Amino acid sequence: MIILTGASGGLGSKLIKSLLLIDDLILIYNNNKIEYKGAISYKLNIINQDEVAKFITLHKQNLKNITLVNMATFSQDGLLANYSTENWEKTFDINVNGPFFLIKQLLPLMIAQTWGRIINVSSYLADNGAIGASAYSSSKSALIGLTKSLSKEYGRFNINSNIMELGYFDGGLADTLDEGIKKNILKRIPTKKLGQIEEISSCISLLIDSAYINGTTLKINGGIN
């Protein structure tokens, strides 16, 4: 069973078709409802621990061989000196605390089944930063640290934890960029094109199938410099 958070987002919604070819699928959304034939849709505020616990209880019987793909994300640009505490906290709530709450609740099931795949989605900006992206980039860096620690703590239970570090893709946050900024980004990518959703789904399939990829950051970014 694959649990996909951020399923109604620009990239998450495009992943659904290919993920259904891999396994059964639960789509997690919050504000923007999404439904897809063959998948279970569930409205969940991932930063509400009580809601997360209820979700696990309701679906416990279906949660076998669990793969959690954390794609829910929040980004609000702004220079640090002017950045609101509210947006800073919201960024870390959705990008770090939400994945933490879900992982914490799912780990007992994964341990009991001696199988699990935790795939957290980070960003090129986690390693490189950008003007106006201090909150977003630092939250995605925190996610990398969390994932690497999980890989060491739970690898002995055949629970692998890995990061997909995404560059700029056709869809998602890249759609919010000014055309001038997008052109400059394309100049820095050797392939001179944005990533396609198939690159992400193929990496998810690899991480599910492999028993020996653990604690790794897969950089899916076209070689951007």
Side-chain angles (χ1 to χ4, degrees):
M1 174 66 76
I2 299 173
I3 301 171
L4 175 67
T5 74
S8 61
L11 292 180
S13 60
K14 292 182 178 181
L15 271 174
I16 296 172
K17 182 179 180 180
S18 56
L19 292 185
L20 275 171
L21 298 176
I22 300 173
D23 204 345
D24 294 332
L25 182 61
I26 297 179
L27 307 175
I28 301 297
Y29 68 93
N30 188 20
N31 295 320
N32 301 314
K33 186 175 183 179
I34 185 165
E35 293 181 333
Y36 200 97
K37 185 178 180 181
I40 299 170
S41 294
Y42 191 88
K43 178 177 171 59
L44 176 64
N45 180 1
I46 62 172
I47 65 175
N48 184 312
Q49 296 186 66
D50 292 336
E51 286 192 26
V52 172
K54 180 181 177 181
F55 163 72
I56 301 299
T57 300
L58 286 174
H59 293 277
K60 188 175 181 178
Q61 296 303 315
N62 295 322
L63 297 178
K64 310 294 183 184
N65 292 337
I66 304 161
T67 295
L68 174 63
V69 182
N70 278 311
M71 290 205 72
T73 193
F74 175 77
S75 177
Q76 179 66 55
D77 288 348
L79 296 177
L80 185 62
N82 303 320
Y83 209 78
S84 72
T85 301
E86 179 184 4
N87 277 335
W88 181 273
E89 292 176 347
K90 183 176 180 179
T91 301
F92 275 82
D93 272 343
I94 295 175
N95 296 355
V96 184
N97 294 338
F100 162 69
F101 295 147
L102 275 167
I103 292 165
K104 183 178 180 181
Q105 293 284 346
L106 288 169
L107 274 171
L109 293 177
M110 292 179 174
I111 292 171
Q113 297 170 17
T114 61
W115 200 95
R117 299 290 184 264
I118 298 168
I119 304 173
N120 289 322
V121 178
S122 185
S123 166
Y124 168 81
L125 298 182
D127 289 331
N128 298 277
I131 294 173
S134 57
Y136 179 75
S137 61
S138 56
S139 69
K140 291 300 186 178
S141 293
L143 203 56
I144 293 173
L146 170 64
T147 305
K148 289 187 176 295
S149 294
L150 287 169
S151 71
K152 292 175 170 59
E153 291 179 2
Y154 297 100
R156 66 186 184 276
F157 298 107
N158 194 30
I159 300 170
N160 293 350
S161 302
N162 293 286
I163 282 281
M164 290 193 306
E165 188 180 286
L166 305 185
Y168 294 92
F169 277 75
D170 184 14
L173 295 178
D175 284 348
T176 67
L177 297 175
D178 175 86
E179 282 302 315
I181 294 175
K182 192 178 292 187
K183 286 181 180 179
N184 287 331
I185 289 171
L186 287 171
K187 290 178 182 178
R188 295 161 48 207
I189 301 174
T191 58
K192 306 302 179 188
K193 59 184 180 181
L194 298 176
Q196 300 299 309
I197 201 69
E198 292 78 15
E199 309 298 336
I200 300 175
S201 58
S202 63
C203 284
I204 291 174
S205 180
L206 171 67
L207 293 174
I208 291 173
D209 291 341
S210 175
Y212 208 57
I213 301 178
N214 189 31
T216 294
T217 299
L218 294 182
K219 296 179 182 289
I220 317 169
N221 59 28
I224 190 172
N225 53 51

